[in-house]
Amino acid sequence: MTGGVDRANVIRVKSVSLAAVVLAGALVSAPAGATPVFSCEYEFVTWPGSFSAELTITNNGPAISSWRVSWTFRAATTQSAAWQAKLSQRTPYDMTATNLPWNGGIGTGQVRTFGWTAFAVTTETPDDITVNGVPC
């Protein structure tokens, strides 16, 4: 245990999508075996009743000028604080993060990381993360 955080609870997950890319409002399927449009790395640390998480987005597709990330928690969660993004919740389960005015652009091969702290009885890596509507 270091600084009150049980390092055994640090989890690193990488997710990728071979699904679709949203370009100019049209949904275009990626060819089989193509590089995923976005890849995401979700990391979190838990402690009793709370957690801290970060999500790193890598853009493997064309440059984008803004981003919106959505996901669902399995347990009711209340957002406490956020950095590098604006977070909003429609319900205690649904979370959305959007870029700030100065960090919306993600060029090809570039990354953006944002994070938050929240209150929840339990948490785990969401399995439905999307970036601009594209599974990550």
Side-chain angles (χ1 to χ4, degrees):
M1 180 111 75
T2 304
V5 176
D6 183 354
R7 293 295 174 198
N9 287 330
V10 175
I11 296 176
R12 173 173 260 168
V13 174
K14 290 187 178 182
S15 302
V16 294
S17 165
L18 295 175
V21 60
V22 177
L23 295 171
L27 191 60
V28 180
S29 295
T35 301
V37 176
F38 299 108
S39 57
C40 293
E41 184 175 346
Y42 186 95
E43 300 178 278
F44 67 91
V45 178
T46 62
W47 56 93
S50 301
F51 69 96
S52 175
E54 283 194 337
L55 181 69
T56 299
I57 305 162
T58 301
N59 181 8
N60 302 310
I64 58 174
S65 59
S66 64
W67 48 267
R68 175 186 172 99
V69 180
S70 299
W71 66 95
T72 307
F73 291 112
R74 291 190 180 150
T77 302
T78 303
Q79 178 225 336
S80 174
W83 52 95
Q84 307 299 327
K86 178 181 177 186
L87 263 61
S88 60
Q89 286 186 270
R90 290 180 316 152
T91 73
Y93 302 93
D94 300 311
M95 185 77 74
T96 300
T98 54
N99 62 269
L100 298 173
W102 52 269
N103 70 351
I106 309 177
T108 302
Q110 293 185 335
V111 300
R112 287 292 178 269
T113 300
F114 65 93
W116 64 96
T117 57
F119 301 104
V121 174
T122 185
T123 194
E124 57 190 59
T125 301
D127 59 7
D128 64 344
I129 299 170
T130 62
V131 178
N132 292 352
V134 178
C136 190

